[in-house]
Amino acid sequence: MRDIRFRNLEKYRVGGTRDSMQLALPPPKSPSGKVYRYSPNPDAKPRLFLIGDAPEDRTVTEAVRQRMRLDPGSKQTVCPYSGVVGDDDDFVHADDIEAVKKHVLWLAENDVSDLLGDWAKDFNRRQPRGAFISMKMEHKPRRRPKPLAIREDLLRSLECELCHREYGVYALALFCPDCGAPNVALHFRREIALVSEQIDLADELDQKGNVEIAYRLMGNAHEDVLTAFEATLKSVHAHLVKTHLPDQVDKFLGKKAVGNAFQNVERGRKLFAKLGIDPFDILDEAGIKHIQLNAEKRHVLGHNLGIADDHYASFSEDLEPGETVTLIGEDIRRFGGLCLQVVERLEESLLPGQTIGLQE
Ligand SMILES: [Zn+2]
């Protein structure tokens, strides 16, 4: 019997023998060319993220390398949500294994079908002409459509500013999955850029006379700054406690320990002070006051239809209780810019080799 060859499968052979081939098939890609990754850390919430191809020719200076946890393009990956480092293989998504298995099966089926077709042709050629009995073998190839695996991009797609690898995550990630550099300020800058676009939109509507919807949109932009700021402080704080003080997790991250403390400068600051960190020390008094005033404004907008109450009026210099709080685009941009400074300062605590201690 002649050699059996799996022509389609052999294209993916990377080793082994013809009888026992070692194959390597690429996982399915999203429309932007990224592949699924799944954090091996069960505590990471969420666990799914996407990663693009490694850019060619990445040169990393020593100063930049110090901010990274891994050499870019190493055989390891960093969970962007939890910072856990593992081999690339540990991050393979189960759906991709299934997709590749189906693809291999499909290729093998086609190879077997081609083989049977070749045999039939061979058999027919060998039949003697003009014989008393003639036999003809017919092979009807039946091709199944190629199995389809759909991979969708996540809403947030970013490029690490240090190693230039593209990746996709759900809203907020702390680290670059390739080099492990803290990327939290990069994410926050995206939030602020989106807020800025909302403000432009609100201004446009306002000029067209759509005052009420413009005010509503401006209120949302304002709220988004505080929501992103609170979520970022909360995530970094939780990460620092989990990694530096694992035996204090219940005490520091228990149900009542955090709550909405990060909506308030003083309460948030106290939580970080316990870890020996003060991310607000980058701002002067006026900057801190501006964040405080805007955090209070959020409560008035969110819970009192924008009407100043006694508490808010005590913060604001030019507003009496009962008056509608003003929302000016430039103020919101300043608010976002100040929050960004705090986040950039806080990001330093995520750099490799940082020691964070408990401050009693
Ligand atoms: Zn990176």
Side-chain angles (χ1 to χ4, degrees), residues 68 160 162-165 176 178-181 183:
M68 299 174 167
C160 173
L162 299 186
C163 77
H164 304 294
R165 189 86 179 249
C176 164
D178 188 349
C179 72
N183 269 186

Side-chain angles (χ1 to χ4, degrees), residues 17 45 64 69 97 190 267:
T17 62
K45 288 184 184 73
V64 162
R69 291 170 67 187
I97 296 175
R190 173 64 65 88
R267 286 167 63 210

Side-chain angles (χ1 to χ4, degrees), residues 206-235:
D206 193 49
Q207 277 161 20
K208 283 182 192 160
N210 301 323
V211 183
E212 202 173 3
I213 187 71
Y215 186 78
R216 180 68 58 93
L217 209 58
M218 204 66 106
N220 289 344
H222 184 266
E223 180 178 17
D224 289 350
V225 176
L226 192 66
T227 306
F229 190 52
E230 184 193 7
T232 305
L233 298 189
K234 204 171 174 175
S235 298

